[in-house]
Amino acid sequence: MARKAYSRRARVTGTLMLLVALGAAGCTGDPAAEDSPDAKPAGGEATTARAEPGKYQTLPQPCRAVETGTLDAMLPGLAQLDQEQRQKAYEGTSSVTYDSDRRTGCRWKVDSADAGHLLRIDFERVVSYSASVSDDARAQAVYGDRMKEAELPLPSDPREEQPERRADDSAKADRDEARATAPADDEAGQGASPETSEKPGKGKEKEAGKSEEPADETVDPSAPAEGLEPRLLRELADDAFIDDQLTTSSSGSGQRTVTVVFRTSNVIVTVEYEVQPKQVAEVPDSASMQEKARELAGLLAERLSDV
């Protein structure tokens, strides 16, 4: 009997020890698991921040992006076509691209008795594949490359002038100030120093002689008029510039190409307008072409806002 009682007490004691061990294991966490860098915060969301995606995820249909009234104004040869030919010309020709979600384009080419006109538009949706670079930032870099390719004569920052230029301007200012504060010579030449005394009329003769010399100025006939040179367009989209190039043939006629490039968010739009006169020694009007190209660019920017 004593042996059986001892055996029962041993089994009970062992069971109690097992239950205590299991309870301790359930109440105690794993410190290593809690301190692990892979442990998710409360809510289960990752804390890694990703750059913002671009505003635009699609592109408009380019051959439907230009109204017929705008095409009539930019392609005057349309009025000389019959109704069937005109309707086909309005449809344009789509550019060949590998991914229409990333790039699309369209072109319209119409010849008339006076000139050939070509209009081309291009939409490019820029996507950044870097988690730390947004689509907008990537698009801005691509736009910057387009500006470099155009080689625009942008206005310089006065803070970036060469030290030699600043020194020359400073010396000139000092000389002008010395002349302004020097006492005026009377008719007899009193008060003039020996170094600066001159015979009456001598200085005027020099100035007159200088003014009679022919001006050595070379005017580039291919350059647009003042105010129409390639430049930035501050009022269009996020960034924009206009370029104007004239290619003159041996006969004197010129083919002018006006290009407007603008960026809105992560989309870059290009408008290219080209005119080739058929008359000898005729040059397309820069002002008229630029006005039409800029108006179309503004309409396309508004159309993008509806996408």
Side-chain angles (χ1 to χ4, degrees):
M1 292 294 292
R3 184 177 297 175
K4 288 183 179 180
Y6 174 78
S7 178
R8 284 197 300 271
R9 286 196 301 270
R11 286 197 298 271
V12 171
T13 303
T15 301
L16 290 174
M17 294 178 63
L18 178 60
L19 291 174
V20 171
L22 291 174
C27 295
T28 304
D30 185 0
E34 293 178 357
D35 296 337
S36 172
D38 296 331
K40 294 183 179 180
E45 296 182 357
T47 58
T48 303
R50 182 177 178 83
E52 287 290 331
K55 176 180 178 181
Y56 301 102
Q57 302 301 315
T58 60
L59 292 172
Q61 300 222 352
C63 291
R64 299 179 184 177
V66 184
E67 300 291 340
T68 56
T70 301
L71 291 174
D72 289 337
M74 301 185 76
L75 309 171
L78 286 169
Q80 302 174 13
L81 302 177
D82 59 44
Q83 185 175 356
E84 182 178 355
Q85 292 177 324
R86 189 183 307 117
Q87 187 59 40
K88 184 173 179 60
Y90 282 143
E91 295 175 357
T93 303
S94 298
S95 303
V96 178
T97 60
Y98 296 100
D99 187 351
S100 58
D101 286 335
R102 292 287 304 279
R103 192 159 196 168
T104 59
C106 191
R107 66 191 295 272
W108 297 262
K109 182 174 174 55
V110 180
D111 289 330
S112 65
D114 299 327
H117 292 75
L118 172 66
L119 173 64
R120 183 185 297 111
I121 63 175
D122 179 86
F123 296 92
E124 181 181 1
R125 185 173 67 90
V126 180
V127 177
S128 172
Y129 294 102
S130 172
S132 60
V133 180
S134 67
D135 293 346
D136 282 22
R138 178 59 187 152
Q140 193 170 21
V142 174
Y143 169 82
D145 292 339
R146 296 290 303 275
M147 283 187 58
K148 292 179 182 177
E149 292 173 3
E151 298 180 349
L152 297 186
L154 302 179
S156 60
D157 188 340
R159 294 170 297 180
E160 298 177 357
E161 291 182 355
Q162 298 296 328
E164 296 82 359
R165 173 76 175 272
R166 291 197 297 267
D168 292 343
D169 292 344
S170 177
K172 183 177 182 300
D174 292 341
R175 289 195 299 269
D176 293 342
E177 183 180 358
R179 293 195 197 99
T181 57
D185 295 341
D186 55 20
E187 294 181 357
Q190 296 177 355
S193 62
E195 292 82 359
T196 58
S197 297
E198 293 182 1
K199 294 181 180 180
K202 185 176 181 181
K204 294 182 180 180
E205 291 175 0
K206 286 186 178 181
E207 293 296 328
K210 181 182 293 186
S211 61
E212 292 174 359
E213 293 179 359
D216 185 14
E217 296 182 358
T218 303
V219 178
D220 184 0
S222 66
E226 185 178 356
L228 298 174
E229 63 277 353
R231 63 199 181 279
L232 296 180
L233 301 176
R234 305 288 184 184
E235 71 281 4
L236 178 62
D238 295 330
D239 298 294
F241 70 85
I242 187 169
D243 194 12
D244 190 321
Q245 299 295 329
L246 179 67
T247 304
T248 307
S249 65
S250 57
S251 63
S253 62
Q255 173 183 298
R256 186 179 295 279
T257 303
V258 173
T259 305
V260 177
V261 179
F262 69 88
R263 179 189 71 85
T264 173
S265 185
N266 62 316
V267 171
I268 298 174
V269 182
T270 302
V271 175
E272 189 174 283
Y273 186 34
E274 180 181 298
V275 177
Q276 172 69 64
K278 294 185 178 180
Q279 300 297 325
V280 177
E282 185 174 347
V283 176
D285 181 60
S286 180
S288 175
M289 291 183 62
Q290 288 194 26
E291 181 181 3
K292 293 176 181 178
R294 291 179 61 183
E295 287 181 357
L296 175 54
L299 293 173
L300 294 177
E302 292 179 4
R303 192 177 188 89
L304 267 177
S305 63
D306 299 332
V307 174

